[in-house]
Amino acid sequence: MQHSTHDSPSLPANMPIAGHIDPVPVPRPGLVDGVTPREDGRVDLIGLPKKQIAALFETAGLDVKAAKLRAKQVYHWLYHRGVTDFEGMTDIAKTMRPWLAERFVIGRPEIVEAQVSTDGTRKWLLRTADNHDFEMVFIPDADRGTLCVSSQVGCTLNCRFCHTGTMRLVRNLTPGEIVGQVMLARDSLNEWPNAAQNPRDGGGLHQPSVLQPEAPAFAGAHLDDEDDDEGAYTADGRLLTNIVMMGMGEPLYNFDNVRDALKLVMDGDGLALSKRRITLSTSGVVPMMARAGEEIGVNLAVSLHAVTKPVRDEIVPINRKYGIEELLQACADYPGASNARRITFEYVMLKDKNDSDDDARELVRLIKQYKLPAKVNLIPFNPWEGAPYECSTPERIKAFAKIVFAAGISAPVRTPRGRDIDAACGQLKTAAEKKSRAELDRLAEEKMAALG
Ligand code: SAH
Ligand code: SF4
């Protein structure tokens, strides 16, 4: 199809173009700020807040009041009820549904592959509409189920022990692709609120899931990343109870999209997951931490991994830009942190690198110096081919944990999950291409230079 200047989504809807008269002015939904239609001209609604949906409906021809009302209804169906088809929106007039379907779509990331580990962990290889692959992992436990969500395809950073760090950053995921992961997980686990829970809403929208719920056979295997003061809370018997932004990518380098997606997740009329059950993990993008607290307000996890400058510079290179002191000060200032909502420090156990008794004592000293309401998650290093480190021995990890614990700081050792399907922390990397050591080193240099 010819693409005339008049069609350009960057031009305001009513801008006159000299010498050009459009005989049939067709309202184009793509002309709302920040919204790009797909190639077929339709707009994917997933990832958009209610206001933007209303603006689109208005641009498409509804009057202000109708647009607002329809947006409210559609929003509820999309995010709260998880319908994937406008025909399922039973309180919207039958004649209106095709009108919606002509102009809009309800997108989900494409599932390329779904794997299940022997321990019940699931991993999904997902694909964006423009053909980029990324991953999402679900970790079932006895008293909770945690979805590990990606924020980027690849990562700009290059933590030396992390497989994702060996990828280039391909691009940031959009709010739709981020919230879409949670929505896909709810689809797969068949966990959208159904008619039985809210009879006014109609129902029968989903096929029963082909996936069977897990038997709670994973006692003691916790991803201990959120409040542990909720004890046996099981979120009404749901499988998916918690979200961690710990998949591929650095969420604070994709701040706006992560924030916008999590707002939809936290909204009571959206996916309605409490912010207390969401944890954002950062490698230490200090300038964005305060905003994360103010504008998102979820639990914070910080990938500390080392307590001295030389070691952290080596294994978490962003440390060269924002050092340990700055990072810990930002943690002390993190809005919302308290003894009830402690900051989690992630600490990957690397043999003879960061795992000595002295390291443990220094960790305790730093936490006390900054008076941090903290807990420490000790993560046994998950190996991947070509990784330059080994995991500490179980005895070493125990000794390290003991020192931290003796100082009154909770220090659970995270049980590795899904290792057999490469779903464990730091193992996510989708690109099949293999890089040589020289290529990896070159990429590491490039990423380092980009850090400035
Ligand atoms: N980019 C963010 C979130 C994603 S990584 C961050 O770095 O915090 C999630 C966690 O897995 C981080 O703590 C990361 O350091 C850890 N991790 C990365 N590679 C790992 C590996 N090979 N073994 C164990 N943990 C790893
Ligand atoms: Fe990126 Fe996090 Fe991996 Fe570091 S640990 S390379 S920040 S994904």
Side-chain angles (χ1 to χ4, degrees):
M1 196 187 80
Q2 270 259 308
H3 204 77
S4 77
T5 335
H6 191 75
D7 281 344
S8 164
S10 58
L11 292 174
N14 50 5
M15 182 171 155
I17 297 174
H20 180 102
I21 297 156
D22 194 337
V24 205
V26 182
R28 296 181 62 84
L31 295 171
V32 163
D33 257 5
V35 179
T36 319
R38 307 185 325 164
E39 265 175 22
D40 67 3
R42 294 189 295 169
V43 171
D44 185 354
L45 293 179
I46 297 301
L48 301 181
K50 211 176 287 172
K51 267 202 175 139
Q52 241 170 353
I53 297 176
L56 283 167
F57 287 177
E58 227 187 296
T59 317
L62 297 188
D63 69 45
V64 184
K65 224 174 129 196
K68 209 173 157 194
L69 172 72
R70 292 301 175 206
K72 191 172 177 332
Q73 290 172 307
V74 168
Y75 182 94
H76 179 82
W77 283 111
L78 294 178
Y79 298 116
H80 198 75
R81 298 291 303 276
V83 302
T84 49
D85 190 327
F86 293 104
E87 279 307 315
M89 302 186 174
T90 48
D91 61 356
I92 289 181
K94 270 208 167 79
T95 48
M96 174 103 196
R97 296 180 212 158
W99 182 91
L100 285 166
E102 265 164 39
R103 290 160 179 80
F104 305 103
V105 287
I106 304 171
R108 291 282 195 273
E110 179 195 340
I111 299 180
V112 182
E113 196 185 357
Q115 285 173 282
V116 184
S117 155
T118 48
D119 70 12
T121 301
R122 300 172 195 281
K123 182 170 89 168
W124 287 266
L125 176 61
L126 306 176
R127 186 164 292 164
T128 64
D130 58 343
N131 280 323
H132 298 303
D133 292 356
F134 60 105
E135 292 180 328
M136 155 179 110
V137 175
F138 177 68
I139 307 135
D141 269 318
D143 62 346
R144 76 184 72 172
T146 306
L147 188 71
C148 182
V149 171
S150 290
S151 56
Q152 300 181 308
V153 180
C155 189
T156 42
L157 298 172
N158 182 44
C159 304
R160 297 281 287 163
F161 49 83
C162 173
H163 210 188
T164 312
T166 67
M167 292 176 76
R168 277 174 208 285
L169 175 72
V170 178
R171 72 164 171 79
N172 284 333
L173 291 174
T174 63
E177 289 157 351
I178 298 168
V179 72
Q181 294 171 64
V182 187
M183 299 178 80
L184 254 188
R186 278 213 178 147
D187 292 346
S188 296
L189 301 167
N190 198 20
E191 289 203 319
W192 291 103
N194 59 31
Q197 282 156 297
N198 188 353
R200 282 184 308 130
D201 276 342
L205 303 166
H206 287 277
Q207 298 300 316
S209 170
V210 286
L211 303 169
Q212 294 304 311
E214 308 297 325
F218 311 102
H222 274 182
L223 230 188
D224 196 17
D225 283 311
E226 84 314 311
D227 301 344
D228 46 13
D229 55 347
E230 290 180 71
Y233 179 74
T234 56
D236 299 332
R238 290 224 181 145
L239 293 174
L240 199 176
T241 60
N242 293 56
I243 293 180
V244 292
M245 295 302 302
M246 292 188 189
M248 298 169 77
E250 167 50 57
L252 294 190
Y253 274 150
N254 185 17
F255 183 82
D256 290 359
N257 292 353
V258 167
R259 175 200 55 206
D260 293 351
L262 290 180
K263 287 224 154 122
L264 299 169
V265 173
M266 295 184 287
D267 181 10
D269 192 35
L271 280 91
L273 204 88
S274 154
K275 65 178 184 178
R276 296 163 57 83
R277 299 198 154 265
I278 304 174
T279 299
L280 183 148
S281 174
T282 180
S283 57
V285 185
V286 168
M288 299 308 290
M289 285 169 60
R291 278 188 68 195
E294 283 152 16
E295 296 177 35
I296 312 177
V298 295
N299 302 317
L300 182 69
V302 171
S303 293
L304 189 62
H305 303 316
V307 288
T308 64
K309 179 165 170 55
V311 178
R312 196 161 191 270
D313 276 356
E314 176 191 323
I315 68 179
V316 188
I318 196 179
N319 195 64
R320 299 171 192 203
K321 197 161 180 178
Y322 312 113
I324 295 174
E325 289 76 20
E326 259 180 279
L327 176 58
L328 295 181
Q329 189 56 50
C331 290
D333 298 339
Y334 186 73
S338 67
N339 273 329
R341 292 190 72 201
R342 286 173 286 164
I343 292 171
T344 302
F345 288 99
E346 294 158 283
Y347 200 99
V348 64
M349 299 301 294
L350 303 173
K351 189 174 187 177
D352 299 332
K353 183 48 76 180
N354 63 356
D355 62 352
S356 70
D357 285 355
D358 279 351
D359 289 318
R361 281 190 282 266
E362 178 62 5
L363 178 59
V364 168
R365 192 192 69 74
L366 285 169
I367 289 173
K368 303 238 153 163
Q369 182 191 333
Y370 287 87
K371 300 192 174 64
L372 296 168
K375 59 184 157 185
V376 175
N377 245 216
L378 299 174
I379 317 175
F381 169 64
N382 291 309
W384 39 274
E385 209 187 312
Y389 303 108
E390 276 177 64
C391 185
S392 312
T393 62
E395 298 73 42
R396 187 86 293 278
I397 298 177
K398 247 183 239 157
F400 193 103
K402 211 170 151 193
I403 292 172
V404 180
F405 188 72
I409 300 164
S410 156
V413 179
R414 188 184 288 177
T415 312
R417 299 291 302 270
R419 270 188 178 175
D420 56 335
I421 55 166
D422 278 353
C425 307
Q427 292 188 319
L428 303 184
K429 178 182 177 301
T430 53
E433 101 275 15
K434 258 197 175 164
K435 288 202 182 78
S436 67
R437 175 47 49 202
E439 282 170 312
L440 287 175
D441 289 346
R442 207 173 327 120
L443 184 61
E445 285 296 317
E446 264 176 46
K447 288 189 173 192
M448 213 75 94
L451 268 178

